[in-house]
Amino acid sequence: MKKILAILFVTITLSSCEIDRDPFGSMKSDKINENPEGSIDGLLNGMYGQLKAWSDPMHRLGEYAGDNIMIRGSSTDAFYEFISFARTPNNGRLATFWDSGYKAIAQASNIINKIPLGKSPELDSKLGECFFVRGMMYFYLVRAFGRPYYQNPETNLGVPIVNGTPDDVINAAFPDRATVKATYEQAISDLKKAEQLISVNKGPIFASKEAAQALLSRVYLYMSGTYTTPNPTYAQLAVDYATKVISGSTRYGLLSRADFMKYSTFTPESNRETIFAIKRVASEFSGDDHYYGIGGMYSNIGGMGWGEMYASAKYIGLLNETGRNDWRPDKYKIVDARAAFIEPTYSKNAAGAYTEVFRFIKDDAGNTLNYAQLTTTRNGNTITCVEGVSPNQVVYTLTPVDAAQDIYSISYKDGKTYTGVIDYFITLNRAYPQFYIVKASREGENSQLHSPVISRLAEVYLNRAEAYAKLQNYTSALSDLNEVRRRAIVNGGYGSLTAANAGDLIDQERQLELAYQAERSFDVFRNGKSLSRPYPGPQNQTGEITATDFRVTYYIPQTAINSYPGKLTQNPTN
């Protein structure tokens, strides 16, 4: 089995037996050698500890490259490259993702290689946790650095398969990247081994049999081809593994609608929908450190967080398709439960009152979309709004579209008609209303605390729905799709699913349900679709990233290439 020294991927020294503990110190080689079985809990803590550093860039590179968010402006932070698709190999956040991922692989592998299987079911179960973490890391690494699976997996490059530290560090020979196919096979092999070995479910912050099955349902879904050219073998395996989770245990269940709307406030241990999450605790943060958590870019809560990145107009539009979600404090009405994770920052005037405005999106010069918030005046049933100041002030009379929901249209000065909503004025950050996102905040009601969710039951239902659709079993696909849909929208289930609409409806539901969980950009490209972001924000509003674009994959970090004793092939640059 190919092995590699973890120091080649990270910047700290890690001997073959000195495996970090979380949160303090390390375990000494002689202690582990004397009693490896007795040391395994500490070794596992170190392995899980690596996931904390890994989970931050994992979220950012997965979510920021999608169309659920917009940022107020450009940034010098390395994460802006994820948003702008200006790919470079010299990206510190990308290096952390790579380094922490391979540290977790090294630690998991060293435990597996150090402790033989078959000594006891309890010990085997703990070794199964190592197989799970290793398989998960390979999957997340290959989906970031390798092409979508439907694109020539036998020849496209994945990532190096590097299972453990070699005995002879100085003279070790290291392989180049394996193919996408071989990397997926490694991930599947590890996850199946985890499924076989893990006999003790310690809760959703630890690897479990069900966590392995849930992730296998997603891995096989990624291998199941596109809607137009599906791979029935892998689609069926995605169905099979999703069914194991859905039907094989009473441990998990979809939360009620009311509880789901508070999902982010529950700890993973108290949430029966969460299958696996990376546990974070408040003591890991202090003071301004909460600014730098995942939720810190999406909101400012209790003075913590930058609050510079907001729900995109596209995502808000999807939330409003079945009826307007009204966030006004005195008119609060949530139609789609997913809208509960959006919190506009309504501001009050000097008198302590909200200012009523008509908000719409206009097409400015150069095909650039921007928000407008024009103050309204009511005179009986007539509503007007004004723009500018005298003597150049323009007054518009609004036309009802759905007055009961305060939806109106405006015949604007550019000759175009736009539809918008009557709302209260939302605080602007630069030119953009602050539609805060709180799905990655308030765990235990603690400001920006968040334990990133890897798998939850709603995703498994959606995995199976998509796989059923690719098998042309639209009746079963519809049933699973509506399990999620009806939880979010009362009486909102789809009436039918066909070959003509299945791909769009399932992908849309995945976008709505899995937003801010680092899935969106990968979901778009693995199904051969294109990503476009025609909504207000500094991103390229008119461009399109196709699934075959070289920017779909991230570059291998240059630091990893520089430290590698051998060839480590970079991804194409065009």
Side-chain angles (χ1 to χ4, degrees):
M1 186 174 288
K2 297 175 182 177
K3 301 182 293 184
I4 194 166
L5 180 63
I7 194 172
L8 299 174
F9 298 91
V10 296
T11 58
I12 67 171
T13 300
L14 178 67
S15 78
S16 63
C17 294
E18 277 189 329
I19 302 180
D20 293 348
R21 289 186 74 177
D22 175 55
F24 306 110
S26 62
M27 299 190 72
K28 300 300 182 183
S29 302
D30 54 356
K31 180 179 178 181
I32 299 171
N33 290 330
E34 289 171 5
N35 185 14
E37 294 88 351
S39 303
I40 192 169
D41 288 337
L43 300 177
L44 288 175
N45 284 344
M47 177 187 71
Y48 284 117
Q50 299 303 332
L51 303 186
K52 298 181 181 186
W54 166 85
S55 65
D56 183 280
M58 177 276 293
H59 175 94
R60 298 179 197 271
L61 68 87
E63 193 60 51
Y64 294 2
D67 51 5
N68 296 324
I69 61 98
M70 58 81 58
I71 191 171
R72 67 169 190 167
S74 62
S75 173
T76 57
D77 193 295
F79 68 58
Y80 193 71
E81 293 181 3
F82 305 156
I83 300 171
S84 66
F85 282 83
R87 302 290 189 240
T88 70
N90 296 305
N91 185 300
R93 291 187 182 273
L94 202 59
T96 298
F97 173 72
W98 177 281
D99 293 347
S100 297
Y102 271 105
K103 283 182 71 177
I105 287 172
Q107 292 186 316
S109 297
N110 287 341
I111 299 170
I112 291 167
N113 296 338
K114 193 73 176 175
I115 302 173
L117 288 169
K119 288 202 168 187
S120 72
E122 180 184 17
L123 200 56
D124 282 357
S125 186
K126 293 177 180 181
L127 290 171
E129 295 179 57
C130 298
F131 281 104
F132 172 82
V133 168
R134 192 169 74 181
M136 180 177 73
M137 289 299 98
Y138 278 124
F139 171 63
Y140 272 81
L141 285 164
V142 74
R143 79 173 189 169
F145 297 107
R147 302 294 310 176
Y149 195 85
Y150 80 93
Q151 299 174 10
N152 304 315
E154 298 87 356
T155 55
N156 284 331
L157 295 180
V159 296
I161 296 175
V162 290
N163 295 333
T165 305
D167 295 329
D168 184 356
V169 172
I170 302 301
N171 299 306
F174 304 114
D176 198 356
R177 296 162 63 188
T179 64
V180 167
K181 184 174 186 285
T183 312
Y184 269 80
E185 288 172 346
Q186 176 69 52
I188 290 169
S189 175
D190 284 341
L191 292 171
K192 285 185 175 180
K193 195 71 173 178
E195 179 193 22
Q196 171 195 342
L197 292 174
I198 300 176
S199 57
V200 179
N201 189 314
K202 299 188 292 187
I205 63 173
F206 299 97
S208 65
K209 181 187 296 290
E210 293 89 349
Q213 292 166 343
L215 196 52
L216 279 164
S217 77
R218 193 197 309 171
V219 171
Y220 281 123
L221 190 69
Y222 271 57
M223 301 169 72
S224 68
T226 67
Y227 289 101
T228 54
T229 57
N231 184 307
T233 299
Y234 294 133
Q236 185 60 56
L237 285 165
V239 167
D240 294 343
Y241 276 96
T243 301
K244 287 184 178 184
V245 180
I246 294 168
S247 303
S249 174
T250 59
R251 186 183 303 274
Y252 306 101
L254 295 180
L255 296 183
S256 68
R257 185 176 193 272
D259 281 345
F260 172 71
M261 291 163 69
K262 301 180 290 184
Y263 200 106
S264 62
T265 68
F266 299 127
T267 62
E269 301 94 319
S270 61
N271 190 330
R272 65 188 305 262
E273 188 169 329
T274 298
I275 299 171
F276 183 68
I278 311 299
K279 178 67 174 177
R280 305 305 304 266
V281 294
S283 61
E284 295 168 358
F285 302 90
S286 62
D288 289 347
D289 283 352
H290 267 305
Y291 270 83
Y292 298 95
I294 290 171
M297 279 304 295
Y298 294 141
S299 62
N300 181 291
I301 299 173
M304 289 290 172
W306 301 103
E308 296 181 2
M309 195 176 290
Y310 316 122
S312 70
K314 179 177 182 178
Y315 187 70
I316 292 170
L318 291 177
L319 290 173
N320 288 330
E321 275 195 349
T322 53
R324 179 189 175 184
N325 296 280
D326 197 335
W327 291 287
R328 287 176 288 184
D330 55 342
K331 300 178 184 293
Y332 193 75
K333 180 182 179 182
I334 297 298
V335 176
D336 190 319
R338 282 78 64 114
F341 302 118
I342 310 300
E343 294 184 2
T345 57
Y346 293 115
S347 62
K348 294 182 179 180
N349 58 28
Y354 295 111
T355 300
E356 187 180 85
V357 298
F358 178 64
R359 186 176 57 257
F360 62 100
I361 295 172
K362 58 179 179 173
D363 189 355
D364 282 342
N367 295 317
T368 300
L369 299 176
N370 282 311
Y371 284 102
Q373 296 190 107
L374 307 185
T375 303
T376 61
T377 301
R378 292 178 181 263
N379 184 6
N381 292 327
T382 301
I383 304 175
T384 58
C385 59
V386 297
E387 184 175 39
V389 295
S390 182
N392 299 314
Q393 189 176 73
V394 181
V395 179
Y396 304 96
T397 299
L398 301 181
T399 301
V401 175
D402 187 337
Q405 297 190 79
D406 274 343
I407 301 174
Y408 289 80
S409 66
I410 184 173
S411 296
Y412 197 53
K413 62 186 179 183
D414 61 3
K416 298 178 181 179
T417 298
Y418 302 107
T419 298
V421 296
I422 292 178
D423 204 349
Y424 296 146
F425 184 84
I426 298 174
T427 307
L428 298 177
N429 196 328
R430 297 186 181 173
Y432 307 112
Q434 297 181 148
F435 285 95
Y436 277 176
I437 301 159
V438 296
K439 198 176 184 181
S441 305
R442 294 202 182 109
E443 184 176 317
E445 303 295 344
N446 192 317
S447 180
Q448 300 293 1
L449 185 61
H450 174 62
S451 295
V453 176
I454 300 298
S455 296
R456 60 184 176 91
L457 190 60
E459 185 222 336
V460 179
Y461 272 107
L462 293 172
N463 291 349
R464 193 168 71 172
E466 181 179 331
Y468 272 138
K470 289 176 177 176
L471 292 168
Q472 300 181 27
N473 184 346
Y474 298 113
T475 300
S476 295
L478 179 64
S479 176
D480 281 342
L481 187 62
N482 280 340
E483 282 287 334
V484 176
R485 180 79 173 173
R486 287 178 178 143
R487 192 262 299 269
I489 304 170
V490 177
N491 299 320
Y494 294 114
S496 64
L497 205 65
T498 66
N501 68 7
D504 289 338
L505 295 184
I506 292 170
D507 286 358
Q508 177 175 298
E509 204 62 29
R510 286 186 72 90
Q511 180 173 10
L512 284 164
E513 184 70 19
L514 304 181
Y516 317 117
Q517 288 182 216
E519 299 298 322
R520 174 60 179 165
S521 60
F522 297 111
D523 276 348
V524 172
F525 298 132
R526 68 177 175 80
N527 270 320
K529 296 187 177 182
S530 297
L531 180 79
S532 59
R533 299 187 281 194
Y535 50 78
Q539 77 286 341
N540 187 333
Q541 296 184 14
T542 59
E544 182 176 85
I545 307 294
T546 66
T548 56
D549 193 294
F550 77 97
R551 293 169 293 176
V552 166
T553 58
Y554 290 96
Y555 287 133
I556 305 298
Q558 191 62 44
T559 53
I561 293 176
N562 292 345
S563 63
Y564 201 84
K567 183 179 181 182
L568 186 56
T569 303
Q570 182 59 277
N571 277 324
T573 57
N574 56 53

